[in-house]
Amino acid sequence: ENTKVFPLFTSLKDDDSGDHEQDQGSSKDSEKEKNEDEDKEQNSSKRKVKSRPFMYVYMVVPGAGEHPLQFNYSFWYSRRTPGRPASTQSYEQNIKQIGSFASVEQFWRFYSHMIRPGDLTGHSDFHLFKEGIKPMWEDDANKMGGKWIIRLRKGLASRCWENLILAILGEQFMVGEEICGAVVSVRFQEDIISIWNKTASDQGTTARIRDTLRRVLNLPPNTIMEYKTHTDSIKYRTAVLAALQQFHNS
Amino acid sequence: MRGCLSKVAMIVTLWIYVIFPLIRYLSRRPTVLQKPQKKGCPPVIVNGSAMFGGGTVMFKSIVQSPTTEVEQQHGPSRTPEEETKKPNLYMGDAVNLIIDKEPAMALLHEYRQLDAVSTMTKAHSVVGGENKWEMLESEQDGVPCQTGSEINIHQDMQPGKEKMQERSVDAAVDVDLQQALREQFKCLEIENSTQKSTCMKIQALSAPSESNTLWNIARLAEEHTKIKAMKLAATEEVEVWDEYVLPTDDKHGGATSSKWIVPSLLSNTSINLGLNGDSKKPSIWHFPAEPDLAEEVQCPLLRLPDVSYYPPIEPITQFEVIWRAWESLDEDVGAVEPIGGPFPSTKTTLDFTVMSYNILAQDLIELNQELYTHCPLEVLDWKYRCCLFLNELKKWSPDILCLQEVQQNHYYEELHPVLAQMGYTCIYKQRTGTKTDGCAICYKSRHFTEITVKLLEFFQPETELLNRHNVGIVLLLRPVATLASEAKACGPPLCVANTHLLFNPRRGDVKLAQLAIVIAEIDCLIKSCRAKREHCNVILCGDFNSVPNSPLYQLITVGELYYHGMQAWMVSGQKDFSHQTPCHRLFAPLWPSSLGITDHCQYTPVQEDQESPRSGKYQYSHDLMLKRRFYPAACVRPLDLPLIPGVTDHTADLSRKSLSHTESFRKALYHRLDLKSVYEHVLPGSGKPEVTTLNSDVGATVDYIFYSPKRTSGRKLKDGGECASNGLKLMGRLSLLSEEVLWSMNGLPNHVFPSDHLSLLAQFQMQLHPA
């Protein structure tokens, strides 16, 4: 049965190929998401005191003869220290801005020197966000927003990630300035890609993002895609935090 | 007399002529059946009969071939007249007897032309003779005839009738089309001793009618028939024995020499001149006579050769296969006649035939005269070729006809009226630009109804790659099966596509892009069917200007082609330009995304709200983004990129390598149609390559009929669980010929085949929906 979990590549020949089993591990996946959220919540608890480690004071501009992008973007990288879930390092500390770019060519300069997500080790994330937007729920651009989440079997992340960011950079989503960024999260048994937008309540926008996502990732129609608002994520984190606090106090 | 006849075991040919005040040329093609016979028997028997004068006068005669055995058996019954007649008969008969050595396969062709200066003639040729009975006996005994390569030729002349028509000498005489449609054909049956299990039913393509006749033959025949008539005047039934050249395959170890005797065109010309006088009006084109001679068509005067001269008896020439054999590929069919008759339809299956034919536009002959220097002028004449073509078409009467190189004026003035009369609905698409020819798909209106018609123009001014004026047609048809005498639409839709891709052997990239458009259109129609939960079978045919197993062919049949870096001329394999530099190479992406076709040969999904005001100004497709990937500026490591081990220490070279999977994915073309070629591109037995086109420059297979094959196992189709009923079953095909054989006929076009391409013909069977 696991052979059918390969939705992206087997679908090349016939795009309405049969079911895949992304829904199968949903309980497990939600646990993972929970862990991830816990992770973030703990990290972010001490975030406020720290300043950003990488700050570029200049704006990048497209070079001569290059293909300018509609928006400037930045790559970020974050890594959770293995075996230390209760790390004192803040999420903000853990996340590193790799660089910003303003043209297609500049993008490739960065991208070509970055390890493919599928080859990353440990619990690592790549983030691609518009310049000026931090890959955090609390950022002004994100706080009213949400994200589409797609869980991928191991081995698919590199291709999907590349297709996704090329579509974002190439303005294929056609939702104006709604797109904030995207994240690929490398986990133990699966990889998760997500695309963040500004307005979670704009169902037209989120629907269009979902449909474009299906197309550019060449996803089978029955691929499970989950939308999660950042406020829900924050609420969830708060609840877990409170529970943990209670646990520690008792 | 009949008892005597029944013992004859040789080909016996009889010519019947009736002279009448009015001159008419009749040509007729007898049916020839070949069957193996018992060892030692003289190989061939041909018999036929004819009825004269409305059947009131009947006679019977026998002429024997000069074979010792026959002479021994039949000597007494022969008349001196018959003996003296033989050599002359050779003049009138053009007989090809071809033996393929390896499979000991013999095809016999009889090219007979009668110059019966008669009207009010009713000639019936009836199957008869000992040979038939022998066949029946052997079948009843259930003994497979495998003892040798003997050939038994059974001539079956279908009933023919020539209607008397009083015409002035210079009047044009028309020939009924309907009548010609059912013209006589030859049938050869071959059983090869070395291939016991293989029983291939072959229908030889009979030569087109030509009004070539021999005056002296006519005279002799007249004398002969008179004698015979006197002898047999009292007989009720007429049987006429025709004489043919006998193959002597046994004696020559299978290498049978055959005679190729062409009627003297000179004498023919003289007759024409004599009859028509100084008339400028067209002379007569006779299709074989058939009962209802209601309507007739005019064929202008054939341009007869000024210099062609065929001696009465030519030296014996070696020939291989001249005739195109019908290969039945379905064991169940047996001896069922594959062509003609009512639309064969049972409750569960539907049989239909498809022809693809590049008929060679006249303007292109003028443009490329150097390709046809080997041809006598008359075979390049359009009127002549048109008659040959219509003749061939009427002979096979395919249910679906896909034509290429149909010149616009010829289509509207000559072809379409005839095709419409034959019951075809036609769709024509002329090439864009200044080209005068185009493609056409014609289908029998009573067998199919039209769902969708798409006319494709490959010329796309905004795409540099698509700057050539080629076209295609894609149709979606629904078979109409007649059930209980009531036309009822049923059966799954059938997508029929016809195209003529760019010829230029160097521009394989253009060919691929043109093909992609056709496939995308087919894909689009299939999707529309799938939306209605219907499976759609596909037939893709045409002139692809690419040879078998070339990359383009591979893309069609395999569904995948990695083209990146390939030299453009390699795509079609028509010619070898490897010695030439510089080579134009293909680079991914082959065409811009603005074309709206993906590398899966599918239309890019229409994006809703394309003109959304919110859409970005700098919008780049996936392809464009990828294209910039390895630009020098894009490979330099950014100075401000922090070095994080395991994260940002990727090197550009390594990235190229690690991305090979992605790269190869993007540098290839795919499609999702499951297509198979009707032909296997190699002649069975000899293993020589088939050719579909031949001129001074090239002899190769470039025309194809591809179809969705029935896949009993393996690949599973998605829609519904009806895999078993999906797909087409190939029931038979008209065999192609080798280059060698075609050159032995003086290349293409010639007096038999009107184009520099051969027609492709296949019979399919499709499953119908249960009612």
Side-chain angles (χ1 to χ4, degrees), chain A residues 13 15 68 105 108 115 172, chain B residues 620 625 628 647 671-672:
Chain A
K13 193 71 182 172
D15 65 10
E105 289 76 6
W108 285 116
I115 302 293
Q172 296 295 306
Chain B
Y620 304 117
M625 298 284 294
R628 307 298 295 175
V647 179
H671 70 79
R672 301 166 8 139

Side-chain angles (χ1 to χ4, degrees), chain B residues 667-727:
Chain B
K667 291 171 179 177
L669 290 177
Y670 305 84
H671 70 79
R672 301 166 8 139
L673 314 178
D674 185 18
L675 293 174
K676 189 180 174 192
S677 170
V678 163
Y679 290 90
E680 282 150 25
H681 317 309
V682 169
L683 290 166
S686 69
K688 287 175 183 165
E690 299 171 340
V691 300
T692 65
T693 183
L694 182 73
N695 54 43
S696 309
D697 193 40
V698 68
T701 286
V702 296
D703 305 270
Y704 302 92
I705 300 176
F706 298 104
Y707 67 104
S708 318
K710 203 183 237 334
R711 301 282 188 198
T712 46
S713 60
R715 185 187 163 127
K716 196 154 184 177
L717 294 161
K718 286 295 162 297
D719 31 346
E722 295 181 58
C723 303
S725 63
N726 290 340

Side-chain angles (χ1 to χ4, degrees), chain B residues 161-176:
Chain B
K161 184 169 82 178
E162 284 110 46
K163 191 176 160 190
M164 173 183 179
Q165 297 192 341
E166 290 205 356
R167 305 242 173 203
S168 61
V169 172
D170 59 349
V173 180
D174 301 332
V175 174
D176 183 11

